[in-house]
Amino acid sequence: MQVIDDLIQKFLKELNYQPILEMLLHVKSGKKLRSKLLLAISGESKEAISICATIELIHLASLLHDDIIDESELRRGVKSVNSEFGTKNALMLGDILYSKAFYELSQMNTQFANIISDAVVKLSIGELMDVNLSQDFNTDKDKYLSMIYNKTAVLIEASARCGAILAGLDEKSFGEYGKNLGLAFQMIDDILDIKGDEKTLGKPSMADFKEGKVTLPYIYLFESLDEEGKKQLKSMFKKDLNEQEKIWINTQFKEKEILEKSILEVKEYAKRAIDAIEEYSNQKLKDIVKAMIDRNF
Ligand code: FPP
Ligand code: MG
């Protein structure tokens, strides 16, 4: 992961504008799931490292823009770039990282450039779907699934496909693995928003519902409530919840065993991911799935 970070630094130094580096100094490094995945499939090579660095740049750019859209003040336990340096800086830094990533992609084999640029279009559409779904109280699980597929799973799927191409393995099977892992990953993220605390999450807990995001657990909760309960839940949508309201929601989650039901769904997608690559018996890829389900941040 250090080699990837070094390459990202090299890319950014080439831009020759100090504020870019200063702002990025403030950003806490992420888990680099997409790179770990790609390398676990492809093995190490110079080309693989370059692809990883561009994917991480794109991922980081998307988070900078996402924090502006979600008006998030915290990311990975530190102030988000928009809250530390202002929206205009965060917006432009996102554009710079994203454009530099595309410049680097244009230097690569077109196969990789095609897969990744297509993924970025979809992830942007996914974010737009998220924004639009947040306008109203969405109870349609299919719409939620399509949104998280585009917003999150597509770039993970693309990473897995690039890894497979590099290794001369079946792109379709590994794409299926990445897609299902990505869906499970976002579902876990949505469950942790409810289950986690600010310290481990690095962002406030139960923020999704306030932001208008009716995630999988809330969809299941809504389905399980009677008319009175449905009304009650809807009345809390997009509001700054007080302690009593949070207790009411958490009690309903417990009584109806909603988080358990949501985790069963995550495990279903995790199983699909592992099944897709069963014949390759790659233990590292199985471990990535397991670590992702067990994570608490
Ligand atoms: C996090 O979702 C957001 C994403 C995974 C994708 C964001 C994509 C864009 C903003 C499109 C623009 C793309 C580029 C490359 C400039 P979340 O809000 O559910 O997760 P969080 O809790 O980590 O914020
Ligand atoms: Mg967000």
Side-chain angles (χ1 to χ4, degrees):
M1 293 305 113
Q2 188 57 49
V3 183
I4 296 170
D5 272 335
D6 291 346
L7 185 56
I8 292 176
Q9 276 298 313
K10 180 180 165 283
F11 286 163
L12 297 175
K13 279 190 183 137
E14 285 166 11
L15 302 176
N16 211 13
Y17 186 57
Q18 192 60 21
I20 295 172
L21 300 173
E22 278 164 20
M23 281 195 269
L24 285 170
L25 219 52
H26 165 89
V27 175
K28 207 163 149 220
S29 212
K31 298 184 281 288
K32 295 199 178 60
L33 168 73
R34 293 150 192 82
S35 296
K36 284 182 185 147
L37 187 64
L38 193 154
L39 293 173
I41 300 169
S42 69
E44 259 189 60
S45 68
K46 208 165 167 243
E47 200 173 17
I49 298 289
S50 300
I51 298 172
C52 288
T54 60
I55 290 175
E56 295 302 337
L57 276 178
I58 289 166
H59 176 56
L60 184 54
S62 78
L63 294 183
L64 295 180
H65 286 186
D66 179 67
D67 283 341
I68 297 171
I69 293 167
D70 290 342
E71 297 175 30
S72 303
E73 307 243 319
L74 277 181
R75 166 73 59 189
R76 298 170 185 157
V78 296
K79 277 177 91 179
S80 58
V81 173
N82 47 306
S83 94
E84 180 75 25
F85 301 98
T87 304
K88 292 179 187 177
N89 277 301
L91 180 65
M92 291 321 300
L93 184 61
D95 284 346
I96 291 164
L97 300 184
Y98 167 67
S99 310
K100 177 63 172 162
F102 268 75
Y103 171 77
E104 294 303 328
L105 268 186
S106 74
Q107 310 296 301
M108 290 175 197
N109 183 320
T110 49
Q111 243 182 321
F112 302 119
N114 284 347
I115 290 174
I116 296 170
S117 52
D118 182 51
V120 176
V121 173
K122 291 195 174 118
L123 91 105
S124 303
I125 291 174
E127 183 80 352
L128 188 58
M129 287 174 163
D130 200 9
V131 168
N132 289 333
L133 282 180
S134 306
Q135 300 303 314
D136 301 301
F137 195 100
N138 172 56
T139 54
D140 186 333
K141 190 178 151 193
D142 286 340
K143 285 187 183 162
Y144 164 81
L145 286 175
S146 165
M147 181 273 287
I148 67 167
Y149 167 63
N150 285 284
K151 178 177 80 165
T152 305
V154 154
L155 193 58
I156 299 177
E157 180 182 25
S159 309
R161 284 173 65 194
C162 291
I165 293 171
L166 283 164
L169 297 168
D170 180 43
E171 194 187 327
K172 206 160 166 273
S173 306
F174 285 87
E176 194 59 21
Y177 165 85
K179 173 183 170 174
N180 286 297
L181 174 69
L183 289 168
F185 180 84
Q186 185 60 47
M187 286 177 189
I188 286 281
D189 215 58
D190 295 343
I191 293 168
L192 287 174
D193 174 81
I194 295 160
K195 235 175 72 169
D197 54 56
E198 179 159 339
K199 200 159 169 277
T200 39
L201 292 178
K203 57 187 179 188
S205 69
M206 291 189 92
D208 284 346
F209 202 53
K210 186 185 158 232
E211 286 172 15
K213 298 182 184 187
V214 185
T215 57
L216 186 68
Y218 289 98
I219 293 175
Y220 282 157
L221 179 59
F222 185 78
E223 285 171 0
S224 77
L225 290 167
D226 59 16
E227 284 313 309
E228 193 50 43
K230 283 189 165 82
K231 235 171 96 186
Q232 179 99 349
L233 185 64
K234 272 191 162 174
S235 76
M236 295 173 185
F237 179 59
K238 280 194 179 181
K239 290 222 185 93
D240 235 333
L241 299 179
N242 62 35
E243 235 8 77
Q244 221 175 350
E245 289 168 325
K246 279 191 183 175
I247 290 171
W248 183 83
I249 292 189
N250 278 321
T251 308
Q252 300 305 317
F253 274 137
K254 280 209 184 80
E255 274 177 13
K256 310 280 190 314
E257 300 183 353
I258 299 297
L259 297 187
E260 291 79 357
K261 183 175 171 179
S262 307
I263 286 168
L264 276 182
E265 178 109 11
V266 170
K267 289 191 172 155
E268 181 56 41
Y269 283 96
K271 185 179 174 315
R272 284 186 207 169
I274 289 174
D275 287 351
I277 50 149
E278 194 51 52
E279 63 185 281
Y280 299 94
S281 53
N282 182 329
Q283 191 56 40
K284 263 195 201 167
L285 292 182
K286 290 184 186 166
D287 291 345
I288 287 178
V289 175
K290 199 174 167 329
M292 196 260 326
I293 294 178
D294 294 338
R295 80 196 161 104
N296 62 356
F297 64 95

